[in-house]
């Protein structure tokens, strides 16, 4: 198997990094070697994903679910196998609970339009949190406008965390749905999702977890979480762009209606009506992202071969290492976190955002780019969270399986130079 790791080997990011051509090939990217600290935006792709896509296109390419010839049938099998691998990766009981979409954004919109639009009525409450990416805010605002549902925001404290008492009080409003990010794309905060789901269920609400960031950093078990809907994107998980996942458990799946109509998602069509195909095909109108599903399959097998538990551990080591480095800079404020001994630190991983007094985040990102270091400056599609943390924007570094302590050493050296130059 391509990119299989030696199970006896201890996690070594250098060995992992060597499997990512864009990071490993110095000739390709020039000098100094690229330091990629923007994995929260999208991850780099390992050789095995690139090869799996190439292999499929060279040897297997055909449309699925329609041809009766062998090539098409094999393509259908590979696509459905990818669905099974996704189900296994997140602990879903069955592949019918897995809907392929084009990304987290589409998955959440599918819940808003295909489920909430039918199941909720004017005046019903949806709880959304201030931590959310715009992808888990705007679809609910659109629904509120069109349907008259009420949005209530669970606020964050100065550390960017939730207060359980406030959450409990909001649940007294008998919300119909609670939408929460499994991991903040700004602070790396990991809310207590399992407990939040449990409490929401006790209050009679359905739950949706935006796992766009979470899924790349921690082992995920949707049954253990008890969540109703869960969304993520392939491209933040070492797979290609253009493929995403919506997990829906059995208790909500039958109430989920297709948002898009077209070929394949129907079993019969007359001029007056049509009969829907089975679940999950009815949610995937038209030609789906077949090549991308093959790529995602390879990415998940790659992650399984390293082990998500090992990835989680390594992520925490790296997070603390980066945090210690950043805390040495006096005129720099870390968003949602000020103390590395704070017990909440253990509830964050993978992503750190900061503001430097007197320097615009775009200037910071530009200065890093001059040294071949990729990081983000701006609001990271999380304006309400930045507002709650009293800053219009921030500089963000985020880590992947290939991130090394040496990367962070280079980053910290350059950061010191930038601060000296620009302040
Ligand atoms: C937490 C979170 N949710 C949703 C999204 C949207 O993902 P996509 O653009 O792949 O749909 C992102 C992307 O950064 C994210 O970080």
């Amino acid at each position: 198997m391509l990119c299989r790791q030696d199970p006896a080997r201890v996690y070594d990011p250098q060995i992992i990094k060597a499997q990512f051509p864009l990071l490993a090939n110095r000739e390709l990217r020039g000098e100094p070697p690229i330091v990629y600290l923007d994995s929260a935006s999208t991850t780099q792709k390992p050789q095995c994903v690139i090869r799996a896509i190439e292999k499929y296109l060279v040897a297997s390419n055909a449309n699925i679910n329609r041809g009766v010839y062998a090539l098409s049938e094999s393509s259908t099998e590979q696509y459905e196998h990818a669905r099974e691998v996704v189900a296994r990766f997140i602990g879903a009981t069955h592949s019918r609970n897995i809907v392929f979409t084009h990304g987290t954004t589409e998955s959440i919109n599918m819940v808003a339009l295909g489920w909430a639009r039918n199941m909720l009525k004017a005046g019903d409450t949806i709880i959304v949190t201030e931590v959310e990416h715009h992808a888990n805010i705007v679809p609910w605002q659109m629904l509120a406008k069109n349907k008259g549902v009420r949005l209530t925001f669970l606020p964050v404290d100065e550390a960017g965390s939730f207060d359980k008492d406030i959450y409990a009080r909001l649940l007294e409003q008998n919300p119909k749905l609670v939408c929460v990010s499994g991991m903040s794309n700004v602070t790396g905060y990991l809310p207590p999702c399992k407990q939040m789901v449990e409490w929401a269920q006790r209050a009679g609400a359905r739950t949706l977890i935006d796992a766009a960031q979470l899924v790349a950093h921690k082992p995920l078990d949707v049954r253990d979480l008890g969540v109703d809907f869960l969304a993520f994107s392939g491209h933040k998980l070492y797979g290609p762009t253009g493929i995403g996942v919506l997990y829906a458990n059995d208790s909500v799946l039958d109430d989920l209606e297709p948002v898009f109509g077209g070929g394949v998602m129907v079993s019969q069509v007359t001029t007056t009506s049509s009969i829907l195909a089975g679940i999950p095909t009815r949610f995937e109108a038209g030609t789906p992202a077949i090549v991308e599903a093959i790529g995602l399959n390879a990415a998940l097998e790659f992650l399984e071969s390293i082990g998500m538990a090992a990835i989680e551990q390594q992520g925490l080591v790296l997070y603390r290492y980066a945090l210690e480095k950043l805390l040495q800079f006096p005129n720099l404020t870390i968003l949602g976190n000020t103390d590395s001994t704070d017990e909440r630190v253990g509830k964050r991983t993978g992503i750190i955002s900061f503001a430097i007094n007197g320097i615009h985040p775009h200037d910071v990102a530009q200065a890093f780019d001059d040294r071949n270091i990729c990081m983000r400056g701006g609001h990271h599609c999380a304006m309400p969270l930045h507002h709650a943390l009293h800053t219009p924007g921030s500089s963000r570094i985020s880590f992947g399986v290939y991130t090394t302590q040496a990367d962070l050493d280079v980053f910290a050296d350059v950061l010191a130079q930038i601060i000296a130059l620009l302040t």
Side-chain angles (χ1 to χ4, degrees), residues 126-380:
I126 299 177
I127 294 181
V128 182
T129 90
E130 275 183 349
V131 156
E132 303 312 307
H133 185 279
H134 297 165
N136 205 17
I137 296 177
V138 182
W140 307 115
Q141 289 175 334
M142 290 163 83
L143 190 74
K145 191 169 169 213
N146 295 330
K147 182 91 193 180
V149 295
R150 285 184 337 120
L151 294 195
T152 300
F153 277 81
L154 174 61
V156 291
D157 59 19
E158 292 299 312
S161 314
F162 301 142
D163 181 320
K164 286 181 185 173
D165 294 337
I166 297 178
Y167 180 54
R169 275 206 299 282
L170 290 186
L171 288 175
E172 287 169 10
Q173 297 178 9
N174 296 322
K176 291 287 182 290
L177 181 66
V178 173
C179 302
V180 60
S181 177
M183 173 176 164
S184 163
N185 72 319
V186 176
T187 62
Y189 171 51
L190 300 157
C193 280
K194 190 173 171 184
Q195 196 178 22
M196 290 179 79
V197 166
E198 230 173 78
W199 288 16
Q201 276 168 353
R202 248 187 274 146
R206 296 295 187 181
T207 50
L208 179 147
I209 293 180
D210 172 353
Q213 299 296 340
L214 179 69
V215 70
H217 292 276
K218 273 172 82 83
L220 206 57
D221 185 331
V222 284
R223 274 177 301 163
D224 182 53
L225 275 174
V227 67
D228 295 302
F229 296 105
L230 183 133
F232 63 92
S233 304
H235 71 98
K236 294 183 195 292
L237 199 53
Y238 310 96
T241 52
I243 182 94
V245 169
L246 172 62
Y247 161 81
N249 72 16
D250 286 338
S251 69
V252 287
L253 202 50
D254 289 333
D255 293 323
L256 184 65
E257 288 188 6
V259 173
F260 306 110
V264 182
M265 51 80 71
V266 277
S267 59
Q268 266 188 46
V269 180
T270 67
T271 52
T272 51
S273 65
S274 41
I275 298 173
L276 294 178
I279 291 171
T281 308
R282 66 173 61 164
F283 305 118
E284 297 172 9
T287 300
I290 308 166
V291 180
E292 292 79 359
I294 305 299
L296 178 59
N297 183 343
L300 298 185
E301 285 175 354
F302 165 71
L303 291 171
E304 282 176 342
S305 74
I306 304 171
M308 286 307 296
I311 289 172
E312 179 182 18
Q313 278 314 309
Q314 174 64 16
L316 287 172
V317 169
L318 216 54
Y319 178 82
R320 283 173 189 275
Y321 188 77
L323 195 62
E324 291 298 338
K325 291 222 164 257
L326 282 168
L327 286 168
Q328 285 164 18
F329 293 94
N331 48 353
L332 178 152
T333 312
I334 294 169
L335 264 64
N337 212 340
T338 47
D339 181 0
S340 74
T341 58
D342 186 333
E343 58 100 17
R344 282 173 292 218
V345 171
K347 296 183 181 130
R348 294 164 203 274
T349 195
I351 300 172
I352 302 178
S353 295
F354 55 91
I356 306 171
N357 292 344
I359 319 182
H360 194 283
H362 286 167
D363 294 335
V364 176
Q366 184 63 58
F368 273 110
D369 183 46
D370 292 343
R371 320 290 172 90
N372 240 358
I373 298 174
C374 308
M375 50 91 74
R376 264 290 276 278
H379 53 64
H380 324 306

Side-chain angles (χ1 to χ4, degrees), residues 156-159 333 335-336 355 383-393:
V156 291
D157 59 19
E158 292 299 312
T333 312
L335 264 64
M383 291 174 96
L385 179 60
H386 277 88
H387 181 75
L389 297 176
H390 319 295
T391 176

Side-chain angles (χ1 to χ4, degrees), residues 56-131:
Y56 172 81
L57 287 172
V58 168
S60 299
N61 182 52
N63 211 331
I64 62 166
N65 285 333
R66 18 193 133 205
V68 287
Y69 51 92
L71 201 60
S72 172
E73 281 168 0
S74 149
S75 194
T76 305
E77 269 167 33
Q78 291 182 58
Y79 181 76
E80 290 306 324
H81 181 256
R83 201 191 299 280
E84 280 164 21
V85 171
V86 171
R88 181 180 75 207
F89 190 78
I90 62 169
T93 324
H94 200 278
S95 61
R96 84 190 279 274
N97 301 105
I98 305 300
V99 180
F100 280 130
T101 64
H102 291 102
T104 310
T105 303
E106 187 179 302
S107 299
I108 296 172
N109 276 276
M110 203 178 260
V111 179
L113 298 175
W115 183 83
R117 188 168 52 176
N118 312 315
M119 301 301 290
L120 272 52
K121 54 183 192 321
D124 281 348
T125 299
I126 299 177
I127 294 181
V128 182
T129 90
E130 275 183 349
V131 156

